[in-house]
Amino acid sequence: THSWPPVGFYLTFYIVAGATIGILGSVTSFAFNVLGSLLVKQDPLLVLRVYGTVFLGAKALTTDDLNFFMLVAVVHFSVGASAGAVFQVLTSRFVPDRPALQIVLGGVYGLLMWVVNFYLIITWLQPRLVGQAYVLELMPVWIAALTHLIYGLTLGVLQPLGRFVPYRPAVS
């Protein structure tokens, strides 16, 4: 029989909560990127165009196909969800009651994601898919680092919202 609340570490809950928080982190990062683009009078969809070069190469830089932009956004948010789940599981397991440390770890995690994604995965994968590492060539380093830092800090700030607190009926 299953007991409620679950005994021990509730892994499934933390994966779902982390995926949700990861999507929120991705949306926050993307929103900052769009707002920054608007402030400097740049195409607010440029970040999606640049990330889209992974799929289409240089054609992504000139397309106006909304389906394409949706695909790139869904992939971006899916990666954010997956990484958010990993972060939530790790912080909930190893530093569950240390919110300041979770925020710092979130920032470090975001920067680590940037380094791994840009300088290991994209460096290797994109030239094999479309012949050139457009993301690395077109995305300024400081913008890529800052948006990933914002993503990670968002994970750290929102981490307590993903804490499992079982319902317990009031005793009269």
Side-chain angles (χ1 to χ4, degrees):
T1 68
H2 296 285
S3 64
W4 188 260
V7 178
F9 188 74
Y10 193 179
L11 180 62
T12 304
F13 177 86
Y14 290 112
I15 290 171
V16 172
T20 304
I21 290 170
I23 291 169
L24 293 173
S26 290
V27 169
T28 302
S29 171
F30 179 68
F32 270 86
N33 211 312
V34 168
L35 289 173
S37 293
L38 291 172
L39 286 174
V40 297
K41 297 182 184 355
Q42 189 178 57
D43 176 9
L45 295 179
L46 183 60
V47 65
L48 289 179
R49 291 181 192 282
V50 171
Y51 287 149
T53 61
V54 172
F55 303 107
L56 289 183
K59 292 180 195 171
L61 300 172
T62 57
T63 188
D64 288 324
D65 183 357
L66 291 180
N67 291 324
F68 171 73
F69 289 121
M70 289 305 295
L71 167 70
V72 175
V74 166
V75 169
H76 187 253
F77 299 149
S78 297
V79 170
S82 300
V86 170
F87 180 80
Q88 187 70 19
V89 167
L90 292 175
T91 54
S92 296
R93 183 79 173 142
F94 298 110
V95 289
D97 297 318
R98 303 195 48 203
L101 180 59
Q102 290 166 348
I103 293 169
V104 170
L105 289 173
V108 170
Y109 186 73
L111 291 173
L112 180 64
M113 280 189 63
W114 164 58
V115 169
V116 169
N117 287 334
F118 276 58
Y119 298 107
L120 295 177
I121 296 172
I122 291 173
T123 300
W124 173 81
L125 183 62
Q126 194 172 25
R128 283 162 181 74
L129 292 176
V130 295
Q132 193 172 339
Y134 291 101
V135 173
L136 295 175
E137 295 168 10
L138 299 173
M139 180 73 65
V141 170
W142 70 273
I143 291 175
L146 185 60
T147 56
H148 282 80
L149 179 64
I150 290 168
Y151 168 79
L153 291 174
T154 303
L155 293 183
V157 167
L158 296 181
Q159 194 282 344
L161 297 177
R163 188 170 300 141
F164 178 68
V165 180
Y167 170 75
R168 300 200 190 270
V171 178
S172 320

